[in-house]
């Protein structure tokens, strides 16, 4: 039984911007003469990556803390509740304290 669940994602407008950029790049492929196909494909991949990793799911049930990152739920981390020593709510500044947003490994003692 789920005791807590939270799903976080980019604002829909950010997703729309990425989709428009990918569409624009795809359209330029059809134009002659244009940039090399490899350059366009790399650009499209770089724009799709944020869409793929734009979601975070946090779930707590009676056994574990479950964290899944990305549209496809990868990577996943499962932490047994009995392995958690302490929990508290904190305010933090992602850019200053962690160098940005995203997956981080290690312990935060702040």
């Amino acid at each position: 039984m789920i005791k807590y669940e939270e799903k976080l994602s980019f604002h829909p407008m950010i997703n729309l911007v990425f989709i428009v950029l990918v569409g624009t790049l795809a359209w330029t492929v059809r134009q002659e003469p244009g940039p090399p196909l490899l350059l366009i494909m790399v650009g499209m991949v770089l724009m799709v990556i944020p869409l793929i990793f734009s979601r975070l799911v946090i779930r707590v049930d009676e056994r574990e803390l479950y964290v899944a990152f990305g549209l496809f739920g990868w990577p996943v981390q499962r932490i047994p509740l009995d392995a958690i020593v302490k929990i508290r709510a904190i305010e933090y500044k992602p850019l200053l304290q962690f160098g940005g947003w995203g997956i981080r490994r290690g312990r935060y003692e702040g």
Side-chain angles (χ1 to χ4, degrees), residues 74-92:
W74 179 87
V76 173
Q77 187 167 16
R78 297 174 186 271
I79 303 168
L81 290 183
D82 57 358
I84 298 174
V85 176
K86 179 171 78 171
I87 184 170
R88 63 188 168 107
I90 61 168
E91 290 187 26
Y92 61 94

Side-chain angles (χ1 to χ4, degrees), residues 14-100:
I14 293 174
N15 288 336
L16 180 63
V17 167
F18 279 112
I19 290 169
V20 167
L21 288 173
V22 168
T24 302
L25 270 176
W27 181 77
T28 61
V29 169
R30 302 179 66 168
Q31 305 304 308
E32 292 288 334
L37 181 61
L38 179 63
L39 177 65
I40 292 171
M41 290 174 65
V42 168
M44 290 177 73
V45 167
L46 291 176
M47 285 187 218
V48 170
I49 286 173
L51 289 175
I52 293 171
F53 293 102
S54 66
R55 184 173 169 176
L56 174 69
V57 176
I58 302 165
R59 187 177 306 136
V60 178
D61 62 24
E62 61 275 349
R63 295 175 294 127
E64 67 184 4
L65 167 66
Y66 168 91
V67 180
F69 190 69
L71 289 177
F72 306 110
W74 179 87
V76 173
Q77 187 167 16
R78 297 174 186 271
I79 303 168
L81 290 183
D82 57 358
I84 298 174
V85 176
K86 179 171 78 171
I87 184 170
R88 63 188 168 107
I90 61 168
E91 290 187 26
Y92 61 94
K93 296 178 174 100
L95 286 174
L96 293 176
Q97 293 174 280
F98 300 103

